[in-house]
Amino acid sequence: MTNFDLEKMVDTSDEWIRTRTGISQRHIVSENEATSDLSTRVAEQLLEKRGISADEIDIIIIATCTPDHFAPSTAALVQNNIGATNAWGFDLSAACSGYLYALETGNKFISSGQYKKVMVIGVDTMSSILDFTDRDVCVLFGDGAGGAILEPTKSEGGIFDSILLMDGSGGDSLIMPGGGSRMPATIETIKSKQHFLKQDGKKIFKYAVKGMAEVSERILDKNNLTGDDISLFIPHQANKRIIDAAAKRCNISENKVLINIDRFGNTTAGTIPIAMNEAVADGRIKNGDTILLAAFGAGFTWGSMLIKWDSIF
Ligand code: ACO
């Protein structure tokens, strides 16, 4: 869906969206396609690339705020779809920071020594909770998914530090009010559009710039690193202006910042794994590289992570 498509739906323009956000287009699922379908495709691609069968997966973690259902979990649907007969798993809800939270969770399962293969997927079908008559919100998001299989390594590589944070006082700034136990679905909640995402865009912008920049700076300082030591900075893709401000504050030069928001929009938990996958595919990430990840999202939730890239591919 391009900005020009949106021009026909709400009072907006390609120029406004590009200059305020950096987005030119986003992907929207087809009718009847949901979060477990995107996740299953990612899971199948991961298994194929790794050359293993589904029964080798120990745990499936799905980071999403747009699950197919409250119950069963999306993880259970994916487990069944791919035939991961030895896996258990769960959905993890941390909105745009979901993939960082999930990577850290998977990392701890691997470090425990008890599990050998943890599949982590970041996925959101944001179009299912967008009001396509609300220009403040609908132009920002897209649907998408990506993931990884985490495994133990004997080398020094891997996830070597993370800082994850949360401040629930920001909860009202980005919220889908209806549908949960606080406001179960009724004719009235549907009529008053309580089942769509609502946001205070200006407030989120301010907190996201500060949060992503500070937590990125903090993890660099903690590890005695500077922006120069980073091979690639892969931030959550919410708004190009938020990314630019965070990168500037950490003294990370523009050519080391991965930006693909122009083609995908904000896919919430999907942004970081999609960007990582693209960077691996086009050779921008190589083994031994030091990668900085950072995210900020609803909750508020935010965090940063340092990875010494160590892939078998
Ligand atoms: N098209 C055209 N005009 C618009 C649109 C639109 N889609 N949306 C708002 N406007 C108008 C406003 O009504 C306002 O008009 P006015 O001056 O007549 O009142 C004008 O554009 C400027 O609006 P601002 O809110 O000042 O625009 P701003 O520069 O703050 O950008 C934006 C708005 C893009 C929403 C920005 O605040 C933002 O990106 N915030 C973060 C939101 C976000 O990322 N949410 C995602 C989830 S959280 C996360 O992932 C970090």
Side-chain angles (χ1 to χ4, degrees):
M1 181 186 282
T2 65
N3 294 345
F4 298 105
D5 295 324
L6 282 163
E7 281 181 359
K8 295 178 200 132
M9 298 158 79
V10 285
D11 180 14
T12 192
S13 67
D14 170 59
E15 204 259 335
W16 191 96
I17 302 171
R18 273 189 298 101
T19 52
R20 302 287 173 132
T21 70
I23 302 168
S24 296
Q25 61 164 53
R26 70 288 291 141
H27 296 252
I28 303 293
V29 293
S30 0
E31 220 177 308
N32 299 324
E33 212 175 12
T35 294
S36 67
D37 302 312
L38 296 182
S39 309
T40 299
R41 275 158 61 189
V42 168
E44 287 169 348
Q45 286 175 26
L46 285 170
L47 293 173
E48 193 187 336
K49 190 170 177 196
R50 179 67 181 86
I52 56 173
S53 61
D55 58 10
E56 291 185 53
I57 299 297
D58 298 314
I59 305 178
I60 299 169
I61 306 175
I62 309 276
T64 187
C65 63
T66 51
D68 289 29
H69 319 285
F70 283 157
S73 70
T74 315
L77 301 175
V78 173
Q79 178 276 330
N80 183 52
N81 288 346
I82 63 173
T85 46
N86 294 311
W88 63 282
F90 53 90
D91 291 3
L92 188 157
S93 171
C96 299
S97 310
Y99 196 65
L100 285 195
Y101 276 45
L103 277 182
E104 177 62 354
T105 306
N107 182 36
K108 291 295 180 256
F109 280 121
I110 293 292
S111 339
S112 75
Q114 202 178 336
Y115 301 98
K116 299 282 175 259
K117 289 184 174 59
V118 179
M119 183 179 273
V120 180
I121 293 175
V123 52
D124 270 300
T125 308
M126 296 307 290
S127 61
S128 66
I129 57 168
L130 290 181
D131 174 1
F132 280 99
T133 65
D134 177 1
R135 70 176 185 177
D136 287 350
V137 184
C138 74
V139 301
L140 303 176
F141 293 95
D143 301 333
I149 297 173
L150 305 183
E151 301 184 49
T153 173
K154 289 198 171 72
S155 83
E156 284 180 5
I159 297 167
F160 67 93
D161 201 8
S162 67
I163 300 175
L164 299 175
L165 300 163
M166 183 183 261
D167 177 3
S169 69
D172 285 347
S173 309
L174 185 59
I175 186 168
M176 188 178 102
S181 57
R182 177 64 60 195
M183 193 190 284
T186 63
I187 298 287
E188 285 69 34
T189 64
I190 289 167
K191 275 189 185 155
S192 60
K193 300 190 169 189
Q194 300 301 319
H195 302 272
F196 291 125
L197 194 64
K198 299 175 193 309
Q199 72 167 14
D200 178 343
K202 272 193 191 316
K203 183 170 172 188
I204 296 168
F205 189 91
K206 203 174 90 191
Y207 278 81
V209 168
K210 186 170 178 292
M212 278 215 323
E214 278 180 6
V215 80
S216 303
E217 256 186 334
R218 204 171 124 192
I219 202 166
L220 290 177
D221 287 350
K222 191 175 159 212
N223 289 275
N224 295 318
L225 298 172
T226 69
D228 288 342
D229 300 309
I230 299 303
S231 313
L232 195 60
F233 177 40
I234 306 186
H236 167 55
Q237 312 279 312
N239 184 317
K240 185 170 180 304
R241 291 185 293 148
I242 297 177
I243 296 171
D244 290 344
K248 195 169 167 204
R249 184 146 160 197
C250 296
N251 291 318
I252 299 175
S253 58
E254 231 175 89
N255 62 343
K256 290 183 177 178
V257 183
L258 199 146
I259 293 176
N260 65 7
I261 191 172
D262 49 319
R263 288 173 292 122
F264 295 99
N266 181 350
T267 55
T268 305
T271 63
I272 289 180
I274 291 171
M276 288 174 88
N277 183 56
E278 286 204 314
V280 171
D282 67 18
R284 287 188 76 184
I285 298 183
K286 295 174 292 305
N287 276 354
D289 284 355
T290 302
I291 314 294
L292 172 65
L293 310 180
F296 186 94
F300 296 129
T301 57
W302 71 108
S304 56
M305 178 173 276
L306 283 167
I307 302 175
K308 175 79 79 181
W309 196 256
D310 176 23
S311 165
I312 61 164
F313 300 107

